Amino acid sequence: MAYFRALDSASDMLTLVEVGQTSEGRDWYFALISSPENLANVERYREIVQRLAHPAGLTDEAARQLSQEGKAFVHIDGGLHASEVAGAQHTIQLAYDMLAGADNPRTAAILDNVILMLWPSINPDGQNIVADWYHSNVGTPYEISSPPVLYQKYIGHDNNRDAYMLNVTESRVVARTWRRWEPHIVFVHHQSSPFPTRIWLPPFAEPIASNAPPLMSRTVNMIGMAMAQGLEQNGQEGATHMEPFDAWYPGYIDYLPMLQHIAAFWTETALYRYATPHFYTINDFPARSRDLRPQTLYASPWKGGWWRLRDGVEYMVTASYYTLDYASKYREDLLYNRYQSGRDIIRKYEQEPPYAYFIPQEQRDPVAPVELLRRLAFNGVEISRLNSAVTFDGINYPAGTWVIPMNQEFAEVAHGVLDVQTYPDLREFPEGPPDQPYDAAGWTLSYQMGVDVTAAASPLTDEVRSAMVPVAGEPVDWRAVQGIGTSFDSPMDVGFDTDATAVGIVPLPGRTAGSGSNLAVDPAQNNSFRAINQAIEEGGSVRFEAGSPGDAGHPGTSGRYVISGISRSSANQMVRDLALRAEWTGSNSGAPVRRRIALYRSWRPSMDQGWSRWLLDSYDFAYTRITNGDLHAGRLRDRFDVILLPAERPQSLLNGNAKGSVPPRYEGGIGDMGVRALDKFVRDGGTLVCLNNSSEFAIEQLHLPVENVVANIPRDEYFVSGSILEIQTDPSHPVMAGMPDRAAVFVGYSPVFTTLEGFEGSALAKYQQVGSPLLSGYLLGEEHLNGYAAALDVVHGDGHVILIGFRPQWRGQSFGTFKVLFNAMLYGGNVSAGSFSNPEFWTAPDQNGETDKSGTM
Ligand SMILES: [Zn+2]
């Protein structure tokens, strides 16, 4: 930053622009780089970009004229995966080359045609974390060791998987800046390319997003080839394309902009570790790469030798430079294509479904649609609201219902997250195992967030259109609803027309019924848990009132939480601020809720651990982070009622970092001593909550009479990675309180349970007996989970082990299942075995796979 500040004061071709602050409160900037004339007129060029980005009311002729006048805006940054260190370094070199190269005709043309938005990093906090870690280890045996912390406050590597959810500050700052500047190209640098190639460039591998605008895909392909040609011109060998990086998941911050008609992509430059050099011989190469055979998309195979930080920087500078060169040469096409691609999407959804999405305000959790719609609005999707009731396609929609009309330029953003994903059945070879998706296969937000959304199958009528008013303004502080404590400016205040009379995206007001001095809250609402935690902080107490177990053919009913001991005005304020549906009651029975929670922190920091922390912080849970040392010290039951083990591989939990691979204080895992302490904790009445594959750790180490039935099934028979499946729940069990009896859950590399001789406890959720439970994504071999349990409450001594075979807080997206984790955090201390549950809910299939059908739904 000091270097960029020096350039800013020395040159009239570079201006630093402040964009806000990072999660850890650092001031954050990018640099605008262009000719002095362009920078002097940058506001005019930004206006042109905005006009072309939003084509409504513009003629092709006018768009053509603006395209001739305007400049191409190109976002390039130094990356966000902070252990990939060359990216940030290359921005310094690139800035210098642009400013010092005005005598070079190619550079001069770039400065004339292009306005470069150069970000030293889009994760400055992580950059500092990794740099500090590396500096503390250089020259020691731990020079290339991994840091024991994530390189973003909460989410580490998942920071480029947050583009449509915008859960962390960095994603919001970048998205907000893009809406202000609407760049034509977004280019994010990553490392590493598939060994031994030296840089991976687009085109992407299959599959790409099913709704990617084709003109943008073609543009990215051309830029990929322009970069490759530039690398060859410079004698930089080893560029490759396509495998293994597909572009199916739109949560990538470097791909979602495609759906906004921005040519968005990333590259992957080779990396050894951090800034440490490494020498490779051909014997280090995989056998298939040793023949150095030139290929269509790998025309100059890399032959080995030294690879240093400087080499990575130089490849990146070339890739960035030839992207700018492309933008300079194709300036007018870039501007016009931005307009044309948006115009064509508006036309597309005037002629084909979905014509709109309807989202009623009244929902199981009335805050969930608000969380969903605010994210879409922040990403530039225009949302309307009905100012009177209408009937459409035979459905009555009350006034207040939100409508997302699809004849808008950013419609594909809404389509991409509200539509069901049908992941193509790609195989490694015919009849072979499924080709593994690089990331999630299905993520449909209406399922994940438990929001009822109806797609319009026929064109909107005049009646509907005349009742629609665009929403605007932000009368409620985002933090009151979203709760993560970061600044979140109005999504509507940038680049969109606003209607001062319209009402913003706010939940139905909170309301209470009944009488009495205690407040009963419904666990179907996530905000009920904010209320519970705030009440505890204020000195109140909370009890759990059990629901009633179901019987043959009928699901049970959910319990609820009753808050007492806080003032009436404080309770009323919670109802108002949290938009709660609550009931006053005189009742104060039920089990007291205790909240002494520990979150296990491994020195191999998992993103699931980060997301768990994000979720607990967002909903005001107090908890203690414990490490191996706390486990080894024992006496856990004196300190805690509940211990949460986030998803992590069982071997990684047990053994942690190998001896000698990290500074000694970060060596090792839970180990035998920790296992004994956890076992005693549960036997003495504690609750151990295990997410996804950490369940397998508990099954093995605590010798639970439970088996993961999909553990050893080959990938060509059973495969599900990152998809949404339907489960049947037992809402009468406290951990499932507030869940619908049929629920959508996010599943990925997840265990599926059956119980063995000696099992005591109950099933919390199960898969259907026959047929596929797939709702969105990809599932092969449903017969391997039919009839088995998706989550269990295992009684162990006087305590419980909760095994959750899905991802209840996956990337902060699955709002519909957050409550499973919340309930589990409060399921400590006073629960007695089986007292709430319905014994008829689930019976383990017998050895022959036959199930006792009595009592199944
Ligand atoms: Zn990366």
Side-chain angles (χ1 to χ4, degrees):
M1 285 315 302
Y3 185 73
F4 275 90
R5 281 191 201 97
L7 292 182
D8 189 9
S9 50
S11 171
D12 54 1
M13 293 192 288
L14 183 147
T15 304
L16 282 180
V17 179
E18 184 167 7
V19 290
Q21 289 197 327
T22 64
S23 291
E24 292 175 3
R26 285 189 172 81
D27 292 335
W28 190 4
Y29 303 86
F30 74 86
L32 279 175
I33 298 177
S34 193
S35 69
E37 299 73 36
N38 288 349
L39 290 187
N41 292 308
V42 73
E43 277 304 304
R44 169 61 188 154
Y45 294 125
R46 197 175 67 79
E47 271 173 33
I48 293 172
V49 163
Q50 285 288 348
R51 192 65 197 91
L52 291 168
H54 304 295
L58 202 58
T59 64
D60 292 357
E61 179 58 28
R64 186 64 73 190
Q65 279 172 12
L66 287 171
S67 303
Q68 282 162 5
E69 183 192 344
K71 304 293 176 186
F73 282 71
V74 179
H75 164 114
I76 295 178
D77 65 59
L80 70 172
H81 290 159
S83 59
E84 304 166 3
V85 298
Q89 308 306 315
H90 116 283
T91 64
I92 294 171
Q93 184 69 55
L94 183 64
Y96 174 83
D97 289 354
M98 298 310 298
L99 268 50
D103 295 340
N104 171 329
R106 196 190 290 260
T107 307
I110 292 171
L111 290 166
D112 185 38
N113 287 300
V114 178
I115 297 175
L116 167 61
M117 302 167 62
L118 183 62
W119 300 55
S121 172
I122 52 172
N123 178 17
D125 292 347
Q127 206 70 46
N128 283 281
I129 290 168
V130 170
D132 290 347
W133 173 255
Y134 185 68
H135 284 307
S136 71
N137 292 317
V138 168
T140 76
Y142 314 114
E143 179 165 320
I144 60 167
S145 64
S146 300
V149 294
L150 295 166
Y151 49 64
Q152 194 277 342
K153 184 176 179 188
Y154 289 110
I155 65 172
H157 198 81
D158 267 354
N159 61 356
N160 82 323
R161 311 296 206 266
D162 190 40
Y164 58 77
M165 283 311 280
L166 301 163
N167 280 325
V168 303
T169 302
E170 281 76 7
S171 313
R172 293 175 187 178
V173 168
V174 169
R176 182 179 60 196
T177 309
W178 284 345
R179 293 293 73 74
R180 178 165 169 77
W181 294 90
E182 294 295 353
H184 300 96
I185 293 174
V186 161
F187 176 2
V188 181
H189 281 274
H190 288 260
Q191 296 175 279
S192 206
S193 67
F195 187 73
T197 70
R198 292 295 94 188
I199 186 169
W200 175 92
L201 309 164
F204 296 102
E206 300 299 338
I208 60 167
S210 54
N211 62 343
L215 195 45
M216 293 299 113
S217 293
R218 301 293 188 184
T219 304
V220 168
N221 294 347
M222 276 187 80
I223 296 171
M225 293 303 160
M227 290 188 285
Q229 181 183 268
L231 287 156
E232 297 302 343
Q233 286 170 202
N234 282 1
Q236 291 165 305
E237 294 178 339
T240 192
H241 309 260
M242 296 192 70
E243 296 299 331
F245 299 103
D246 71 49
W248 179 248
Y249 178 61
Y252 294 131
I253 199 165
D254 22 29
Y255 192 71
L256 179 86
M258 292 287 274
L259 307 184
Q260 298 155 324
H261 315 287
I262 295 169
F265 61 93
W266 68 93
T267 61
E268 301 270 355
T269 301
L271 170 69
Y272 175 58
R273 297 278 192 285
Y274 313 110
T276 297
H278 194 73
F279 189 86
Y280 298 91
T281 72
I282 203 153
N283 294 327
D284 298 321
F285 291 12
R288 67 173 186 285
S289 306
R290 286 183 197 161
D291 64 359
L292 304 181
R293 176 174 57 88
Q295 299 170 35
T296 305
L297 297 178
Y298 185 46
S300 55
W302 190 59
K303 302 180 191 69
W306 279 106
W307 191 255
R308 299 180 175 87
L309 174 59
R310 179 80 216 181
D311 297 306
V313 166
E314 286 177 353
Y315 273 60
M316 288 178 170
V317 168
T318 303
S320 292
Y321 187 83
Y322 281 91
T323 298
L324 294 168
D325 184 52
Y326 173 92
S328 167
K329 289 169 173 163
Y330 287 89
R331 176 187 60 82
E332 198 180 321
D333 281 347
L334 277 174
L335 270 75
Y336 191 80
N337 289 350
R338 177 86 201 261
Y339 158 79
Q340 181 177 326
S341 190
R343 180 201 69 189
D344 290 352
I345 289 299
I346 294 172
R347 287 181 184 167
K348 172 182 164 185
Y349 288 111
E350 277 166 354
Q351 287 153 15
E352 62 180 72
Y355 294 92
Y357 291 101
F358 289 86
I359 303 169
Q361 284 185 295
E362 194 68 69
Q363 301 265 352
R364 257 185 92 72
D365 182 347
V367 176
V370 173
E371 298 273 14
L372 170 59
L373 292 167
R374 287 184 174 195
R375 285 167 168 80
L376 289 173
F378 201 86
N379 265 322
V381 174
E382 210 175 294
I383 291 160
S384 292
R385 192 174 177 276
L386 296 178
N387 63 9
S388 60
V390 301
T391 301
F392 178 75
D393 273 351
I395 302 172
N396 299 316
Y397 294 103
T401 299
W402 292 289
V403 184
I404 305 174
M406 289 295 277
N407 58 338
Q408 59 173 305
E409 57 275 19
F410 290 178
E412 296 294 10
V413 176
H415 198 198
V417 298
L418 297 176
D419 199 22
V420 167
Q421 285 79 48
T422 307
Y423 190 83
D425 190 17
L426 305 175
R427 301 297 177 122
E428 288 181 357
F429 49 89
E431 310 303 312
D435 191 36
Q436 210 151 324
Y438 194 77
D439 203 88
W443 51 81
T444 311
L445 286 183
S446 39
Y447 287 137
Q448 286 202 77
M449 300 182 78
V451 176
D452 288 333
V453 178
T454 305
S458 51
L460 296 183
T461 57
D462 288 346
E463 185 201 8
V464 174
R465 289 200 177 281
S466 62
M468 283 165 47
V469 182
V471 298
E474 190 75 355
V476 171
D477 183 352
W478 174 277
R479 280 167 290 187
V481 178
Q482 207 277 340
I484 192 64
T486 58
S487 68
F488 200 135
D489 295 359
S490 162
M492 309 301 172
D493 70 0
V494 178
F496 294 92
D497 294 331
T498 55
D499 177 345
T501 63
V503 180
I505 305 166
V506 295
L508 286 170
R511 58 174 192 257
T512 54
S515 61
S517 57
N518 304 321
L519 191 67
V521 294
D522 176 1
Q525 274 188 272
N526 287 335
N527 270 357
S528 292
F529 295 91
R530 284 201 175 103
I532 288 167
N533 288 318
Q534 288 170 18
I536 292 173
E537 290 305 314
E538 286 178 32
S541 62
V542 180
R543 289 171 179 269
F544 181 74
E545 253 182 28
S548 56
D551 52 25
H554 297 97
T557 60
S558 174
R560 62 181 189 172
Y561 294 90
V562 179
I563 297 170
S564 59
I566 59 168
S567 72
R568 188 107 186 167
S569 67
S570 180
N572 279 326
Q573 189 165 348
M574 279 180 191
V575 168
R576 216 169 33 242
D577 290 353
L578 300 171
L580 291 178
R581 280 178 313 216
E583 189 185 338
W584 293 108
T585 174
S587 158
N588 201 10
S589 59
V593 163
R594 305 221 321 244
R595 194 191 59 166
R596 297 189 305 162
I597 300 166
L599 171 60
Y600 174 68
R601 171 185 191 178
S602 158
W603 296 130
R604 297 169 63 90
S606 76
M607 287 175 279
D608 199 63
Q609 178 188 314
W611 283 115
S612 299
R613 204 154 37 81
W614 173 88
L615 185 66
L616 296 179
D617 285 354
S618 301
Y619 284 85
D620 302 330
F621 278 85
Y623 59 93
T624 305
R625 294 178 79 183
I626 59 169
T627 62
N628 298 328
D630 294 279
L631 295 182
H632 298 164
R635 306 186 70 87
L636 296 167
R637 190 71 189 96
D638 295 347
R639 299 174 64 194
F640 306 113
D641 299 308
V642 174
I643 296 176
L644 173 60
L645 281 188
E648 192 175 335
R649 286 185 304 112
Q651 282 309 308
S652 175
L653 282 167
L654 186 64
N655 299 325
N657 291 310
K659 201 167 168 57
S661 69
V662 287
R665 60 180 295 222
Y666 302 117
E667 278 176 3
I670 292 175
D672 292 343
M673 199 195 272
V675 166
R676 281 197 295 277
L678 284 173
D679 188 68
K680 181 163 169 50
F681 167 76
V682 180
R683 288 183 184 282
D684 290 350
T687 300
L688 178 66
V689 179
C690 303
L691 303 185
N692 218 43
N693 52 355
S694 72
S695 299
E696 298 173 70
F697 169 84
I699 293 168
E700 287 162 29
Q701 299 302 324
L702 304 190
H703 306 291
L704 304 179
V706 174
E707 189 181 313
N708 171 15
V709 298
V710 297
N712 300 309
I713 303 179
R715 187 149 61 92
D716 54 359
E717 284 179 37
Y718 175 75
F719 187 73
V720 53
S721 73
S723 293
I724 301 173
L725 306 187
E726 186 178 74
I727 55 169
Q728 297 169 21
T729 74
D730 177 3
S732 69
H733 190 287
V735 172
M736 288 288 139
M739 290 292 288
D741 57 294
R742 283 172 186 270
V745 295
F746 190 89
V747 170
Y749 303 103
S750 297
V752 176
F753 305 114
T754 194
T755 54
L756 306 173
E757 187 79 22
F759 172 82
E760 250 188 274
S762 42
L764 308 176
K766 64 184 179 184
Y767 289 105
Q768 64 200 50
Q769 291 289 344
V770 288
S772 176
L774 179 68
L775 294 174
S776 187
Y778 184 87
L779 165 64
L780 177 72
E782 66 261 17
E783 64 276 15
H784 294 288
L785 41 71
N786 283 148
Y788 289 104
L792 290 174
D793 175 358
V794 187
V795 174
H796 186 66
D798 292 337
H800 296 253
V801 182
I802 304 294
L803 305 176
I804 299 177
F806 51 90
R807 316 283 303 270
Q809 84 308 20
W810 181 71
R811 290 182 185 162
Q813 301 188 12
S814 43
F815 276 67
T817 52
F818 287 173
K819 58 186 73 71
V820 174
L821 189 57
F822 297 155
N823 286 319
M825 292 302 94
L826 303 175
Y827 186 57
N830 299 297
V831 285
S832 56
S835 62
F836 300 106
S837 64
N838 170 12
E840 295 181 352
F841 172 67
W842 181 75
T843 315
D846 68 18
Q847 302 288 9
N848 306 317
E850 292 296 313
T851 310
D852 174 4
K853 297 288 199 292
S854 70
T856 55
M857 294 186 293

